Amino acid sequence: MRRHSFGHRFDHSFGHSFPDRSRHAFEPGKLVAGLVIMGVAVAYGMDAAGEWNVRPEIALPALLGGLCAAALTSALTYALRRRSRRAAPED
């Protein structure tokens, strides 16, 4: 028995052209943000395990600085992609 979400069929039988969802653009800002957050989480995990002594007055500004670096990376990526789209010849 086939299951349908709200009675809709999700196949290509209606002649629509759907975008390819198998690949997406690489976003380095999200990578930087994820690495920063994981780093802070590991530091706090090690603190909870008694291995490290993480002071909040060091870890929280590091988190904030890392997220600012991620925002800057995203802004630069956006600017470079926008610039390259403008420089590309149109058909």
Side-chain angles (χ1 to χ4, degrees), residues 36-66:
V36 166
I37 291 170
M38 278 194 344
V40 171
V42 165
Y44 273 117
M46 295 295 281
D47 185 34
E51 299 292 322
W52 291 350
N53 185 16
V54 179
R55 296 186 335 212
E57 52 272 356
I58 300 296
L60 293 178
L63 175 66
L64 206 66

Side-chain angles (χ1 to χ4, degrees), residues 10-42:
F10 293 108
D11 59 4
H12 299 280
S13 63
F14 297 111
H16 295 272
S17 174
F18 294 103
D20 182 19
R21 301 273 183 198
S22 62
R23 301 209 25 103
H24 56 84
F26 174 63
E27 298 185 27
K30 289 183 180 182
L31 174 66
V32 171
L35 290 175
V36 166
I37 291 170
M38 278 194 344
V40 171
V42 165

Side-chain angles (χ1 to χ4, degrees), residues 2-10 14:
R2 292 180 68 181
R3 299 184 99 187
H4 298 287
S5 176
F6 301 108
H8 297 286
R9 292 181 58 189
F10 293 108
F14 297 111

